[in-house]
Amino acid sequence: MVRDLSVPELVDRARQRQPRAVARLISLVEDASPRLREVAEALTPHTGRARVIGLTGAPGVGKSTTTSALVSAYRAQGQRVGVLAVDPSSPFSGGALLGDRVRMGEHAGDQDVFIRSMATRGHLGGLAWATPQALRVLDAAGFDVVLVETVGVGQSEVDVIKLADCAVVLLAPGMGDGIQAAKAGILEIADVFAVNKADRDGADATVRELKHAISLGRREIRGPSWRQPVVKTIASVAEGIDDLVTGIAEHRAWAEDHGEFAARRLARARAEVESIAVREVRSRFGEMRSDVLDRLAEAVRSGALDPYRAADDLIASIVDR
Ligand code: GDP
């Protein structure tokens, strides 16, 4: 049973492309297992190769269909592809979400495709903490491309997607139009836009609106900036997917030439370290609230201590441990 394997054995097997070992390691991430320290240590020498592509957009816009079409496109290039569907609000995981997503079924049986949905089960630190850890697993397991698909489009998803090497934002006619995207802060994080459901009325209007919103946004930016392409797709029949792949590749080339690629990777590492540290502090804080915090609260209530001093004392007592 994979369950009984030691961490080094699991990592070895994941590197030998055994899907069950990969799945087990991601479960350890989801469960915030105490063994994760050891996992991270064992994975790190093997990481840094995978290209991470994030996809976000309102529910129903076609993210899952597009992801599946992208998997086929990258497989046709001979790349190994991992997919992480992240859902911050769902308590379900381990494939429950994707289980009924029949369209991913076309990749079942392909050893070079690994698809996994991941929920954070309400753990401290949430998605910001868990996603980079799961990415490390897929990266070390030798996947060339990792597609991170969000289920919704809230702030925590945006935080995750902007850490990808390339952030793809999907819109569809009559759904999330350009103005709505601007409001949600999506325009800033997108490296590539896809207007999906281009077979529907209003696709050209959505493209026009979006291009207008992009040009307004660009005026505020100084220096050389990437011109976010707007690609029309009909994901359900894989139309326009090659253009999307091209847009992603062009962004990659631009990002490498302009230092953006390295900057993004550094930002990801920063976010990773920070979220682990914050999580650690919070959990230590949780363990000690009953004693130290009660005593400090009493001192504040009685007027013996001001709340800022009390907070300093509390932090010091956590850090000293
Ligand atoms: P998600 O919620 O963003 O992951 O969206 P899905 O990928 O589940 O797609 C939602 C629905 O839209 C499904 O019924 C898809 O078959 C359909 N769909 C996806 N892409 C297209 C498209 O390009 N054109 C049309 N007409 N329907 C599409």
Side-chain angles (χ1 to χ4, degrees), residues 217-234:
R218 190 170 289 123
R219 274 184 217 149
E220 291 159 20
I221 304 168
R222 288 189 200 89
S225 70
W226 165 245
R227 298 182 74 84
Q228 299 150 304
V230 178
V231 177
K232 280 202 286 186
T233 56
I234 309 174

Side-chain angles (χ1 to χ4, degrees), residues 58-65 103 149 196-197 199-200 234-236:
V61 76
K63 293 179 297 296
S64 193
T65 314
R103 57 206 163 276
E149 175 197 335
N196 189 42
K197 305 198 181 181
D199 52 326
R200 297 239 172 118
I234 309 174
S236 46

